[in-house]
Amino acid sequence: MQDQQPFRTIGPTTYLSPIPCVLVGCADASNGIRPNLITVAWTGVVCTRPPMLSISLRKERYSHDIIRQTGEFTVNLVSRQLCRAMDFCGVKSGREVDKFAALGLTAVEAPGLSCTPGLGEAPAFASCKLRQVVELGSHDLFLGEVVQVSVANRYFRPDGSIDEGAMQLVSYIHGQYHQTGPALGFFGYSVASPKVLERRGFGKGKRR
Amino acid sequence: MQDQQPFRTIGPTTYLSPIPCVLVGCADASNGIRPNLITVAWTGVVCTRPPMLSISLRKERYSHDIIRQTGEFTVNLVSRQLCRAMDFCGVKSGREVDKFAALGLTAVEAPGLSCTPGLGEAPAFASCKLRQVVELGSHDLFLGEVVQVSVANRYFRPDGSIDEGAMQLVSYIHGQYHQTGPALGFFGYSVASPKVLERRGFGKGKRR
């Protein structure tokens, strides 16, 4: 354990890391169905039952009103291969650019939603129905219930479990996108028996 | 870019990764000041101005009522060295165990708060004042405004910037704690000039 040490204050700021960074899918249904993608790092899990995710959006963003109107969005996980596309979707507005076309990405049907696309190249995505909007200041907090989760076939192991490690998911730390490193342990490993540690691949000699 | 491919649905679940996992500090002020730590992965940034973080807690958790009563909490970032302690704080209840004592951790003053501790061994922590609680189901969503952020002295570079890479922060992916890997890019890198890429350390030859 590293020693306790002096701190320096840096003022009030959103200093939480690592955080997820995802591509949120939505569809402008006002004039035909026009799919869009927006990059969101202000996102998180907010409830287990019902399963709910939150995304925070600035009022002035193109996707803000779209999601308010359709009451739907998808949360698409971002693999290393999608990192550059995600960055592009964070700096360009869907008002000016068809991001799916510009990036050669595929809008796929999101199970459980009426018009909102999933991202075909994402390793997995959650279909969400908007349940509540909480106005906070610069951002509105959108609370969505997950109605279905889709995972790309290739990440299933033969036994039906999912290999999240193979997804090479990206996190966000203070302005930088980061790869995910190796696993350090599993929930409960600090109190697990040697037998359980061995079975889960964290046995003696493999201890991190 | 990897190709679009078929998906398989796995039902509605909280499938967001990587997510943060933090140690939330609070203090039971009902009988003297008794500091406690709780492990939380259902957390995120929810607003930029004012800076706000969310944490979701089950109603039956010891810390739920404490934070409701004091109206304060700290969000302590977790380094690799703290991973085992964080896991322990997630499986034990502060009703039965003094976690600070059991783990040899230090409760330090959290600037801007009245009785709630920061974690002296954390690389950084945010002091938060509770602004709103939204009941969602299994979990209540606590919305906190960040009133101050404290960063351990050792992570400041000589020029005053902060070396978040050196913090070796931990993320959570579907039941496992993960190390943070190397940076893939910075916000805006997909549209940055070669000059900017070079200056930021992502120039030709270093491109990920």
Side-chain angles (χ1 to χ4, degrees):
Chain A
M1 190 72 60
Q2 75 198 36
D3 289 339
Q4 185 268 316
Q5 59 206 301
F7 287 87
R8 201 184 302 178
T9 56
I10 60 168
T13 175
T14 55
Y15 207 78
L16 177 66
S17 290
I19 52 177
C21 45
V22 298
L23 281 162
V24 168
C26 55
D28 187 347
S30 62
N31 186 13
I33 303 293
R34 190 162 176 274
N36 188 37
L37 290 168
I38 180 172
T39 302
V40 172
W42 289 185
T43 179
V45 179
V46 292
C47 191
T48 303
R49 274 186 314 277
M52 295 181 76
L53 306 180
S54 77
I55 59 171
S56 288
L57 298 174
R58 288 178 188 274
K59 283 183 206 298
E60 59 270 27
R61 294 294 285 265
Y62 175 57
S63 299
H64 179 285
D65 293 350
I66 292 178
I67 295 174
R68 270 245 170 202
Q69 278 156 24
T70 60
E72 304 181 341
F73 60 91
T74 57
V75 173
N76 301 273
L77 303 193
V78 168
S79 60
R80 187 185 164 154
Q81 292 93 328
L82 281 169
C83 189
R84 187 173 291 270
M86 170 178 65
D87 183 63
F88 182 87
C89 290
V91 292
K92 298 285 181 182
S93 170
R95 282 195 191 94
E96 285 111 43
V97 183
D98 178 339
K99 297 182 193 174
F100 277 99
L103 294 164
L105 297 175
T106 318
V108 300
E109 196 185 327
L113 304 184
S114 68
C115 64
T116 298
L119 173 57
E121 289 78 6
F125 63 86
S127 302
C128 299
K129 286 198 174 169
L130 183 63
R131 295 299 182 218
Q132 198 173 339
V133 179
V134 185
E135 298 194 19
L136 296 175
S138 62
H139 288 68
D140 285 354
L141 177 67
F142 287 62
L143 301 172
E145 181 177 342
V146 181
V147 294
Q148 187 55 275
V149 171
S150 303
V151 179
N153 276 349
R154 61 180 291 191
Y155 297 108
F156 286 88
R157 298 192 189 92
D159 69 359
S161 66
I162 301 169
D163 185 359
E164 275 93 4
M167 292 182 182
Q168 298 191 289
L169 298 170
V170 176
S171 65
Y172 194 60
I173 300 182
H174 206 72
Q176 287 207 321
Y177 310 109
H178 281 261
Q179 272 186 257
T180 300
L184 294 165
F186 54 90
F187 179 75
Y189 84 114
S190 67
V191 296
S193 68
K195 204 169 148 186
V196 169
L197 288 169
E198 194 60 48
R199 182 163 49 78
R200 298 285 301 264
F202 292 86
K204 253 193 174 169
K206 289 178 190 157
R207 281 249 181 125
R208 280 81 167 169
Chain B
M1 190 72 61
Q2 75 197 37
D3 290 339
Q4 185 269 317
Q5 59 205 300
F7 288 86
R8 201 185 301 180
T9 55
I10 59 168
T13 175
T14 56
Y15 206 79
L16 178 66
S17 290
I19 51 177
C21 45
V22 297
L23 280 163
V24 169
C26 55
D28 188 347
S30 61
N31 186 14
I33 302 293
R34 190 162 176 274
N36 188 36
L37 291 168
I38 180 173
T39 303
V40 172
W42 289 185
T43 178
V45 179
V46 292
C47 191
T48 303
R49 274 188 315 278
M52 294 181 78
L53 306 181
S54 77
I55 59 171
S56 288
L57 298 175
R58 288 179 188 273
K59 282 182 205 300
E60 60 268 27
R61 294 293 284 263
Y62 175 57
S63 300
H64 180 284
D65 292 349
I66 293 179
I67 296 174
R68 271 246 169 198
Q69 278 155 26
T70 60
E72 304 181 340
F73 59 93
T74 57
V75 172
N76 300 273
L77 303 194
V78 169
S79 61
R80 187 185 164 153
Q81 292 93 328
L82 280 169
C83 190
R84 186 173 291 270
M86 169 178 65
D87 183 63
F88 182 87
C89 290
V91 292
K92 298 284 182 185
S93 171
R95 282 195 191 94
E96 284 112 43
V97 183
D98 178 340
K99 297 182 194 176
F100 277 98
L103 294 164
L105 297 175
T106 318
V108 299
E109 196 186 326
L113 304 185
S114 67
C115 64
T116 298
L119 172 58
E121 289 78 7
F125 64 86
S127 303
C128 299
K129 286 199 174 168
L130 183 63
R131 294 300 182 218
Q132 198 174 338
V133 179
V134 185
E135 298 194 19
L136 297 174
S138 61
H139 288 67
D140 285 354
L141 177 68
F142 287 62
L143 301 172
E145 182 177 342
V146 181
V147 294
Q148 188 55 276
V149 171
S150 303
V151 178
N153 276 348
R154 61 179 291 192
Y155 298 108
F156 287 87
R157 297 192 189 90
D159 69 0
S161 65
I162 301 168
D163 185 359
E164 276 93 3
M167 293 182 182
Q168 299 191 288
L169 298 171
V170 176
S171 66
Y172 193 60
I173 299 182
H174 205 73
Q176 288 207 320
Y177 310 109
H178 282 261
Q179 271 187 257
T180 299
L184 294 164
F186 54 89
F187 181 75
Y189 84 113
S190 67
V191 296
S193 70
K195 204 170 148 186
V196 169
L197 288 168
E198 194 61 47
R199 182 164 49 78
R200 297 286 300 265
F202 291 86
K204 253 192 174 169
K206 287 179 191 158
R207 280 254 180 120
R208 281 81 166 167

